[in-house]
Amino acid sequence: MAQNVAEVQVAPPTLTLRAGERSGLLATAFDRAGNVIPTVRVLWSSNNMLVARVDNNGNVTGIANGVAIIEGRVGSRKGSAVIQVVGGAPPATQQAPPLVTPSSDAALSGQPAGSGVATVLRIEPPTLYLLPSENVRASPRALKDDGSPAAPVAVTWKSFRPDIANVDANGVVVALALGQATVQVSSSSGLTATAPVVVQQADFAIQERGPIGLGPGELDTVHVVVPTQGGRLVSPLALQWTSSDPNVVRVSLAGVITAVNPGTATLAVSGLLQTKNVDVVVHRPVALLAVRPRWQDEVLVPVQGTTKFEAQALGTDRTPVPDAPLTWSVADTSVARFDPATATLTGVGAGKTQLVVKGPGQGLSVSWNVRVLAGAVRLSVTRIGLPLGRRFAVTASYIDDAGAVLGPATGLTWASESPQVASVSDDGTITGLDHGHGRVTATSPGGKTATVNVFVQGDFVVASSRSGPFQLYMGDRSNVAQLRRLVADSASDPAFSADGSRIAFTSTTLHGGRHDVAVMDADGGNVVRLANSSGSDSHAAFTPDGNAVVFQSDRTGHSQLFMQPVTGSDALQLTQEPTVNTLPTVSPDGETIAFVSTRDGSATVWLMAKDGSNQRPFTRAVSGKSTRPHFLRDGSLAYLLETRVNGRVMTQVWKADLPTGHVTPLTGTDLVIADYDVTATGDLLALVVNAQAGGKPLYRVFIRPAGIAGTAVPVPSTGTEQMVTPTFMP
């Protein structure tokens, strides 16, 4: 029968006797299923016969002041009780009890199987916290240099403060008084290890919150912890367990409770000089769960939105079982969280998850599929300018109320308010179909929307005098013969924003004939005078994000460069030199500004950081006059170089790689170029050339591929019409 014993419990686990007093201990054997084995032979022993003795029936007699461990063994299984003897003469010596020479079983007990020679000893746990009169078993660990288990070694135990905590030959540490002690384990080969033992007076607590709900026949385990000692578990065998009504709930020596019949009982846990209680409610058997909403339906919840759920346990007669416990859980708490107290689910982040409610009993579970929709949709652009036939893919993200991105937006519905101007596909790709202004809207499954303003316009703008003063005209570079007037203001120097939806230009209409920088939509609408000074402002260039422009102004006496938001009036001065600084252009990453300065005595191209710092020359006056810098999409810089060879003026557009300074010609020397623009990809040029030698200049615009051998095609003009400051849509 002994081979079937899985556990032996000795009760009571602690006992205080006076010297000469006698009391009985009870040893109970359990099988693996927790059933009591009624007939077993128990072998009793005491680790300190000078303090307490035990007979073959478990009767203990106190001998002298001190502590002894009484052990009841059934085969290889054993249980123990701590016996404290008071009121008698002390043992024969006031020193710590002599170390017991352990049997081979005791000396090796508790060590994991391993191999090889041990080089290190350790004690588990490394620090022992105990309440007064509590006991716990410390386990030795024989280890090799690499930390793996070595072959078990015979060990002996010792306490350096046996008045605070004593230890027996099996490593069972007993707390005797408040304070701190140290226990040591030693091997015959000289290896040692120590562990501090802290004995503190502290309250224990029942870990399970009451009332504990169970159905008839169900089991649960109650755990006792010490909150102020890291929530460590107290051995249930060190405690006494009682039920106020065993007909409702029974409890074992190990804290296992068994529900018997419907009703309420109080479970009391006593020991270590304190008692704690918890109520146990045994409800009627539950047959099914009634829930709302229907579990078959997907539940849609917006981010930060809430949805109420209901679940009720029903008995076999379909009547409610209100005291039956229900357990709620969410599979992915980054998507949603659930408050059981209010039965409310709150959306946290866009995505899908499951909400599960479980009732008591096997198979009592209901789950809902939950989809959390973001609070809002954010699109990669809010404005875009497109020429005819060009396509642009808009991406979308879900965002929370603070604007933080939650992830890619899926399941959107896309629609165009003006499908004849711009169409949109199911994946958010917009195509420019006809000149005009339209809007494309993305709608989330939760009804949130986001909009893109789409301006489908020509991709080429030029200032022309065909109606008298210079005005801006727009056309498609594939058909520059069909130009249409864009704005009625007297204007020049057009420049597109990086997204093609806005145009900055120099106006002489808005401010009494002085030059002003203005910004308008790409279709010529919403013209806004930007600068607000008494000087002349001109030649604006957008920053890549379209939120600001850099321009030149003589408001301080010399032409200097300024940066100003398109929605504000405060301009930041970028250059301070008492020389002419003009014609700015901004790099695609927004970090560098190229401009023309005369501070070296002649016009040359300079570079600076976006805040005006680190101003430095890029071209040199000895190479010729350098003007009209333009950044390309790849970060290279184009500029116009004017030199004199044998008294003849020669002009040529060059492209430079900024990191290396390597330059490549984009035009030959066959034309005298007054101004130019280049496409963002650097494949096409618009050249301003004086078409009339001698007398008043007559400026015409020619479009040609980049390269020395390109053929120039004139933009059609009539009579004395002048064309200047061309620009391409990015």
Side-chain angles (χ1 to χ4, degrees):
M1 183 69 69
Q3 65 269 24
N4 297 323
V5 176
E7 182 181 2
V8 176
Q9 296 180 6
V10 175
T14 59
L15 185 63
T16 300
L17 297 175
R18 292 185 176 274
E21 186 179 0
R22 187 179 185 188
S23 182
L25 297 176
L26 174 65
T28 306
F30 299 86
D31 62 17
R32 293 185 181 275
N35 300 312
V36 175
I37 303 175
T39 305
V40 292
R41 181 186 178 193
V42 180
L43 300 180
W44 295 92
S45 63
S46 170
N47 78 327
N48 196 338
M49 303 288 288
L50 298 177
V51 173
R53 296 176 182 173
V54 62
D55 63 18
N56 291 336
N57 297 315
N59 297 311
V60 181
T61 303
I63 305 299
N65 282 349
V67 174
I69 305 297
I70 302 299
E71 186 177 274
R73 179 188 291 268
V74 179
S76 62
R77 306 295 181 180
K78 58 189 176 181
S80 62
V82 180
I83 309 301
Q84 185 171 12
V85 180
V86 297
T93 174
Q94 294 294 327
Q95 303 296 322
L99 292 173
V100 179
T101 303
S103 67
S104 59
D105 285 348
L108 303 179
S109 178
Q111 299 185 46
S115 61
V117 178
T119 58
V120 177
L121 269 183
R122 289 182 184 167
I123 297 176
E124 291 293 339
T127 301
L128 293 91
Y129 290 92
L130 295 173
L131 304 179
S133 75
E134 187 182 2
N135 69 85
V136 69
R137 181 169 186 171
S139 300
R141 294 287 184 264
L143 305 174
K144 294 185 287 190
D145 286 334
D146 61 1
S148 60
V153 297
V155 296
T156 56
W157 291 88
K158 175 182 179 180
S159 171
F160 292 107
R161 288 293 304 272
D163 57 322
I164 294 176
N166 204 354
V167 62
D168 72 2
N170 296 312
V172 177
V173 181
V174 183
L176 302 178
L178 299 178
Q180 182 166 326
T182 302
V183 294
Q184 181 187 70
V185 64
S186 304
S187 72
S188 58
S189 63
L191 299 177
T192 63
T194 60
V197 182
V198 181
V199 182
Q200 297 174 327
Q201 183 63 57
D203 284 342
F204 62 61
I206 296 175
Q207 188 176 53
E208 288 68 30
R209 296 178 60 184
I212 300 172
L214 295 173
E218 293 182 349
L219 303 178
D220 200 356
T221 300
V222 177
H223 302 86
V224 174
V225 297
V226 184
T228 59
Q229 295 179 355
R232 70 173 181 86
L233 290 171
V234 177
S235 170
L237 302 180
L239 305 166
Q240 290 82 50
W241 303 80
T242 59
S243 170
S244 64
D245 190 346
N247 290 321
V248 175
V249 174
R250 291 198 303 263
V251 60
S252 75
L253 295 175
V256 177
I257 56 177
T258 302
V260 181
N261 293 299
T264 300
T266 299
L267 179 69
V269 184
S270 303
L272 307 175
L273 306 178
Q274 50 190 305
T275 300
K276 295 293 184 291
N277 299 317
V278 65
D279 288 335
V280 181
V281 177
V282 180
H283 55 76
R284 292 187 293 117
V286 176
L288 74 159
L289 298 179
V291 300
R292 293 180 61 186
R294 289 171 13 116
W295 64 268
Q296 298 95 333
D297 299 334
E298 184 179 49
V299 180
L300 301 180
V301 184
V303 171
Q304 304 304 322
T306 60
T307 297
K308 296 280 289 185
F309 288 79
E310 295 179 13
Q312 191 175 47
L314 302 180
T316 54
D317 58 356
R318 300 299 180 98
T319 60
V321 184
D323 47 4
L326 301 178
T327 304
W328 299 84
S329 62
V330 175
D332 188 344
T333 55
S334 67
V335 174
R337 64 176 180 270
F338 187 81
D339 180 6
T342 60
T344 301
L345 182 97
T346 302
V348 176
K352 293 183 178 181
T353 187
Q354 275 196 332
L355 173 68
V356 179
V357 60
K358 291 184 178 180
Q362 199 75 8
L364 289 174
S365 175
V366 175
S367 63
W368 292 267
N369 290 319
V370 177
R371 181 149 54 117
V372 177
L373 308 172
V377 177
R378 176 184 293 168
L379 303 180
S380 56
V381 295
T382 58
R383 303 169 58 94
I384 189 68
L386 297 175
L388 295 176
R390 183 179 294 180
R391 307 178 68 180
F392 184 86
V394 180
T395 58
S397 302
Y398 284 127
I399 59 174
D400 62 16
D401 291 343
V405 175
L406 301 170
T410 58
L412 300 179
T413 301
W414 296 84
S416 173
E417 295 180 10
S418 304
Q420 74 281 5
V421 173
S423 65
V424 61
S425 61
D426 291 341
D427 63 356
T429 299
I430 301 173
T431 304
L433 300 179
D434 195 8
H435 295 144
H437 173 209
R439 290 181 178 83
V440 168
T441 301
T443 304
S444 73
K448 302 296 184 179
T449 62
T451 301
V452 181
N453 278 286
V454 183
F455 299 88
V456 181
Q457 301 297 328
D459 56 0
F460 176 74
V461 178
V462 66
S464 171
S465 65
R466 63 177 56 183
S467 298
F470 278 106
Q471 295 174 315
L472 299 184
Y473 288 79
M474 175 177 280
D476 300 300
R477 69 187 190 189
S478 60
N479 183 15
V480 291
Q482 299 295 322
L483 295 178
R484 61 190 183 280
R485 190 169 64 180
L486 185 60
V487 64
D489 292 340
S490 176
S492 61
D493 306 321
F496 277 99
S497 60
D499 61 14
S501 71
R502 287 189 175 100
I503 298 174
F505 63 98
T506 302
S507 171
T508 57
T509 300
L510 300 176
H511 194 188
R514 288 196 302 271
H515 289 173
D516 275 319
V517 171
V519 174
M520 63 182 175
D521 290 337
D523 61 356
N526 294 323
V527 178
V528 178
R529 174 189 170 202
L530 186 61
N532 184 20
S533 73
S534 59
S536 290
D537 305 326
S538 60
H539 290 92
F542 279 97
T543 55
D545 59 12
N547 293 330
V549 293
V550 182
F551 59 92
Q552 66 186 54
S553 174
D554 63 3
R555 63 183 69 179
T556 61
H558 294 279
S559 180
Q560 303 291 351
L561 300 185
F562 293 79
M563 179 181 288
Q564 182 174 327
V566 297
T567 57
S569 59
D570 294 330
L572 172 67
Q573 186 171 344
L574 300 177
T575 59
Q576 309 286 339
E577 290 288 329
T579 55
V580 175
N581 298 279
T582 59
L583 303 172
T585 180
V586 187
S587 63
D589 62 4
E591 297 298 318
T592 305
I593 298 173
F595 61 101
V596 175
S597 179
T598 60
R599 64 188 71 179
D600 284 343
S602 179
T604 54
V605 175
W606 282 62
L607 304 175
M608 64 180 171
K610 62 183 179 181
D611 61 357
S613 63
N614 192 25
Q615 297 185 19
R616 59 204 186 274
F618 181 69
T619 62
R620 300 189 179 278
V622 294
S623 301
K625 181 180 177 182
S626 304
T627 62
R628 301 291 179 180
H630 289 286
F631 272 107
L632 305 185
R633 187 175 296 158
D634 63 3
S636 60
L637 182 68
Y639 61 92
L640 179 63
L641 179 63
E642 178 183 315
T643 59
R644 287 185 175 270
V645 179
N646 298 325
R648 176 173 171 261
V649 176
M650 298 183 64
T651 57
Q652 197 169 11
V653 179
W654 291 82
K655 182 178 74 170
D657 179 67
L658 263 60
T660 65
H662 178 73
V663 295
T664 305
L666 297 181
T667 65
T669 59
D670 52 325
L671 295 174
V672 179
I673 303 168
D675 192 8
Y676 78 100
D677 191 40
V678 59
T679 56
T681 56
D683 62 333
L684 200 64
L685 296 162
L687 307 177
V688 178
V689 177
N690 182 7
Q692 181 171 288
K696 182 180 179 180
L698 181 62
Y699 291 110
R700 296 283 192 265
V701 174
F702 294 81
I703 295 179
R704 56 165 289 172
I708 295 176
T711 300
V713 176
V715 176
S717 60
T718 60
T720 60
E721 177 185 358
Q722 304 249 25
M723 289 187 178
V724 294
T725 60
T727 188
F728 292 107
M729 180 185 289

